Amino acid sequence: MKRAQRSNAVRIQPTALRRWIVAGTLATTAVGGGLLLIFARLQAGKAVWTDGFFLNGSQWFDAARTTVTLVGIIGLGGAAFLAYRKQVSTEAGHLLDQSTSLRDRYTITAEQLGHDSAAIRLAGVYALASLADDWHDFGNDDERQVCVDLLCAYLRTARSAERIDRQEENVRSAIIDVLAGRSRKRSDGMDGPWVGLRFALFGADLTRANLAGANLSSANLTGANLSSAGLVGVNLTRVDLGGANLASAFLFGANLTGANLTNANLNSANLTSMNLGAAQLRSTLAEANLTGASLVGAHLTGANLTGARLTCAKLTNTNLVGANLTDAILLEADLSGADLSGADLTGANLILANLDGANLDGANLTNAIYDTHTRWPEGFSPPGSISS
């Protein structure tokens, strides 16, 4: 569909157009008569309307010919103006017809999404996605957002007892595929067409959803259930994930810079190579796989990292005040400049870890495992080692 430009033009009614034609004809006739008299005077050298008509046939012919030429030029201008007005009217009518058609399609697709038949609901999903794209082509992104809002609203709706079946799962999976697919980078490296649109998915059940590679930086995932979700390489920059359930979610290479993870549950989540820079986090990360994760500058105050795997993790300048790192694996982790005051590192594995410049005031290092390659803050005396 050719991208339409919004127009403020008013559609001209046939009656108004006829009035324009009549008025134009009368005006042209009057101007023509006036010009004929003027040219006749020029031919005779005197005012013909006071001194009589002293022109021969040749002079009248020359005056008439000149008059007809100028009137023809004026008529062409008038005709061009009328043609322009008619074109504007036609285009305005076409845009109005297109808009009406798109709105009618929305009504139909909305009814399809609420149908009892899963097959019809599935058709409604794809029809609504196509409609959203057509609204964008038409030049109205506000209406495109309305279509996206309806898809998100479906995912936020609790499953009814009669719709807990494989077919309903297919409908929800189709919506997730549509949202993710149009939010991923295209093969040419450009952002997907729906990047930047608001995805209101707060409280939505996205269990086992495959959102890998999607750019969800404009999503609201507060309280969403993302347990066991596939979030590989997903962009969740500055996204609100407060209270979200990310248990067993696969977040390999995900970007959560500046995300809000307050009270989020990441138990057993795989966050390998994940970037959590400057994230606001007060959550459960017990036994989470954070191998190689970048948590530089992250706020992990009071976080539960019991048994978490943080091998080679980057925790430079990370706030871990009062965090529970009991039995955590911090092998080769970079904790330089980290604030570990009051943290519990009982039984933690700190072999080859770098704690240069870290704050360990009040930290509990009972039975912590370290070796001669572990780097401690200047002047810090570690407790008795149980190096392996």
Side-chain angles (χ1 to χ4, degrees):
M1 182 186 292
K2 184 179 178 181
R3 187 175 178 84
Q5 298 296 324
R6 296 186 185 183
S7 173
N8 294 321
V10 178
R11 189 174 184 178
I12 302 174
Q13 298 301 319
T15 302
L17 187 60
R18 284 194 292 270
R19 286 199 296 266
W20 274 100
I21 293 173
V22 171
T25 301
L26 293 175
T28 302
T29 302
V31 170
L35 288 173
L36 179 61
L37 292 176
I38 292 172
F39 290 132
R41 179 190 182 286
L42 293 175
Q43 290 286 340
K46 56 183 71 177
V48 296
W49 51 87
T50 58
D51 301 326
F53 292 90
F54 298 98
L55 279 71
N56 59 35
S58 177
Q59 289 174 319
W60 275 113
F61 176 77
D62 289 341
R65 182 176 58 186
T66 305
T67 300
V68 169
T69 300
L70 287 178
V71 169
I73 293 173
I74 295 171
L76 286 175
F81 173 74
L82 289 174
Y84 167 74
R85 295 290 295 179
K86 185 177 181 181
Q87 178 66 23
V88 169
S89 175
T90 301
E91 290 180 356
H94 182 60
L95 289 176
L96 179 61
D97 291 341
Q98 281 185 299
S99 178
T100 301
S101 175
L102 291 171
R103 293 183 189 283
D104 290 343
R105 283 172 57 191
Y106 178 82
T107 301
I108 294 170
T109 54
E111 291 174 351
Q112 288 178 319
L113 276 183
H115 203 278
D116 290 336
S117 169
I120 294 178
R121 294 199 301 277
L122 187 61
V125 170
Y126 294 116
L128 193 59
S130 176
L131 177 60
D133 293 337
D134 287 345
W135 271 120
H136 175 67
D137 291 337
F138 185 69
N140 193 330
D141 284 340
D142 290 340
E143 294 296 338
R144 177 174 64 159
Q145 182 65 60
V146 170
C147 296
V148 172
D149 288 344
L150 185 56
L151 290 173
C152 292
Y154 191 98
L155 292 177
R156 295 198 308 270
T157 304
R159 294 175 173 83
S160 58
E162 60 272 16
R163 287 188 179 179
I164 302 178
D165 54 27
R166 180 62 180 171
Q167 290 182 323
E168 173 62 11
E169 290 301 317
N170 290 338
V171 174
R172 290 176 177 265
S173 294
I175 295 176
I176 292 168
D177 290 343
V178 165
L179 296 178
R182 284 168 167 77
S183 301
R184 296 188 180 105
K185 282 190 178 296
R186 303 184 312 197
S187 57
D188 58 4
M190 300 293 289
D191 285 335
W194 286 12
V195 171
L197 292 181
R198 300 183 304 276
F199 293 163
L201 294 169
F202 49 89
D205 186 355
L206 301 172
T207 305
R208 295 183 296 278
N210 181 12
L211 295 163
N215 185 339
L216 302 176
S217 55
S218 297
N220 182 348
L221 292 163
T222 305
N225 184 359
L226 287 154
S227 58
S228 302
L231 300 169
V232 178
V234 71
N235 184 351
L236 291 164
T237 305
R238 295 181 295 278
V239 170
D240 191 348
L241 284 155
N245 182 5
L246 289 153
S248 299
F250 196 67
L251 284 148
F252 182 89
N255 185 357
L256 282 90
T257 301
N260 177 18
L261 285 157
T262 303
N263 296 321
N265 178 11
L266 288 106
N267 280 347
S268 301
N270 186 335
L271 295 93
T272 304
S273 299
M274 183 184 72
N275 184 359
L276 257 171
Q280 299 295 322
L281 179 65
R282 187 178 182 84
S283 61
T284 299
L285 288 164
E287 298 182 4
N289 184 352
L290 293 160
T291 302
S294 174
L295 302 168
V296 176
H299 296 266
L300 300 169
T301 304
N304 182 1
L305 289 154
T306 303
R309 284 165 283 177
L310 289 155
T311 301
C312 296
K314 295 177 179 61
L315 294 156
T316 305
N317 298 321
T318 299
N319 186 342
L320 288 158
V321 175
N324 187 351
L325 288 153
T326 302
D327 296 323
I329 300 174
L330 291 156
L331 183 67
E332 294 188 76
D334 186 357
L335 289 151
S336 56
D339 191 348
L340 288 155
S341 56
D344 190 351
L345 290 152
T346 301
N349 186 338
L350 295 167
I351 293 175
L352 298 175
N354 179 12
L355 290 102
D356 187 30
N359 181 1
L360 291 168
D361 291 344
N364 184 358
L365 289 159
T366 304
N367 296 329
I369 302 170
Y370 58 92
D371 62 7
T372 56
H373 297 288
T374 301
R375 295 178 61 184
W376 299 100
E378 185 177 355
F380 181 80
S381 298
S385 170
I386 339 174
S387 304
S388 57

